[in-house]
Structure formats: structure tokens, C-alpha cells
Amino acid sequence: MIKEKTTLDSRTEHTQIIMSSHINGSGRLFGGQLLEWIDVVAGVVGRRHSGYNVVTVAIDNLQFKAGAHKNDIVVVIGKITYVGTSSMEVRVDTYVEDNEGKRRPINRAYVVMVALDENEHPVKVPRLVLESESERAEWEGGLKRAQLRKQRKNEGF
């Protein structure tokens, strides 16, 4: 197994046209539908990074910044930001893309995935090679978020 990987090794992008079945009563993209796409993208990123099946452990900092509507093109992009022993934090950004290809952000989430072996026990994941200052900044943010998640868990949240 590879001991180290870069963020580009597991980066994942999903593109979707919003259909009538994706719309809520307010005429916007249903938040639950977007959450499903975010979870799928995070799962693919985690599997690509770890080489194992993964499960979602937490979704933090889910921020709806703007709506999306029927016939909009939605682009969901996931990348690894931080890894622990068996866990991986995946940043997932969602955009609406116009007909010229210009993207405007509508959502950001951080999803924690854990890699599991064939017996569904946590398994060690490859280390993350940081290649830029922005990746180092994301790592530092991921470290702080991991510490905060542990603190919340210890406090019963």
C-alpha cells in the first residue's frame, strides 16, 4: 500500500443538472439532495485516498451560502484536507456553473470519513503530502477541527 498521497490523487468532481425531482417546496435545490451528493463525493475521495471502503463519521461546518434552482448546473468538488490514523477530513465545495463556465459558490462542508478493512475495523490510511501553502493552511484548519470534534465528543456532543 502507498504510504503517502497528494490531494490531487483523490480529488473528485461531480456535475449535475438540477431536475424537478431535486427541487423543494420553495423552488430551490432540496438541501437533503445536496447533502447526498456531498456525502457521495466525500466517500469517493476517501476511498481513493485510503484504498478501502469508508463510512461517514461527521459532517461539520455545512454552510448553505446561496440557492440553486431547476436547470442550474451544480458542481461538487471534494479534496482531502487532513488525515488522522484511520480518518480523513474531506472539504467539499459546491458551485452553480453558468453557461460560460463561471462558478459561484453555494455550499461548503467538511466531512470526516473513516477507512474500514474487510471486517469493518478502522484501518490506517496513507499520509498526506502537502504541496502548497494553501494545503498547509487547510491541514492546520483540519487539525483544529479534529481537536474540536474530540473535545465535543468528550463533552457529550
Side-chain angles (χ1 to χ4, degrees), residues 49-104:
H49 184 79
S50 69
Y52 290 92
N53 286 328
V54 297
V55 292
T56 305
V57 174
I59 298 176
D60 317 309
N61 201 24
L62 181 66
Q63 298 177 9
F64 291 95
K65 299 176 180 190
H69 301 87
K70 185 177 173 185
N71 209 34
D72 281 346
I73 296 172
V74 173
V75 181
V76 185
I77 301 171
K79 65 179 184 175
I80 292 279
T81 55
Y82 175 79
V83 296
T85 303
S86 61
S87 66
M88 300 157 282
E89 182 188 76
V90 180
R91 176 178 150 179
V92 182
D93 290 297
T94 306
Y95 304 89
V96 167
E97 183 178 282
D98 68 20
N99 290 334
E100 286 81 45
K102 184 177 177 184
R103 295 177 178 177
R104 66 176 169 86

Side-chain angles (χ1 to χ4, degrees), residues 35 38-43 54-62 81-82 86-92 108-115 142 145-150 152-153 157:
L35 189 54
I38 289 168
D39 195 34
V40 168
V41 166
V54 297
V55 292
T56 305
V57 174
I59 298 176
D60 317 309
N61 201 24
L62 181 66
T81 55
Y82 175 79
S86 61
S87 66
M88 300 157 282
E89 182 188 76
V90 180
R91 176 178 150 179
V92 182
R108 173 169 293 161
Y110 288 91
V111 183
V112 179
M113 310 301 289
V114 170
R145 285 184 293 276
Q147 292 167 342
L148 184 57
R149 281 189 291 273
K150 285 179 186 174
R152 287 183 194 149
K153 183 178 179 182
F157 288 101

Side-chain angles (χ1 to χ4, degrees), residues 1-70:
M1 169 170 252
I2 297 172
K3 301 226 186 264
E4 295 181 336
K5 288 190 175 179
T6 69
T7 59
L8 289 178
D9 290 328
S10 59
R11 185 183 181 281
T12 299
E13 184 170 318
H14 170 78
T15 305
Q16 180 75 44
I17 295 176
I18 298 177
M19 306 291 190
S20 297
S21 62
H22 303 136
I23 299 299
N24 65 20
S26 300
R28 293 173 176 243
L29 174 61
F30 181 57
Q33 178 63 70
L34 179 56
L35 189 54
E36 178 184 330
W37 294 335
I38 289 168
D39 195 34
V40 168
V41 166
V44 172
V45 171
R47 285 178 68 168
R48 285 178 172 172
H49 184 79
S50 69
Y52 290 92
N53 286 328
V54 297
V55 292
T56 305
V57 174
I59 298 176
D60 317 309
N61 201 24
L62 181 66
Q63 298 177 9
F64 291 95
K65 299 176 180 190
H69 301 87
K70 185 177 173 185

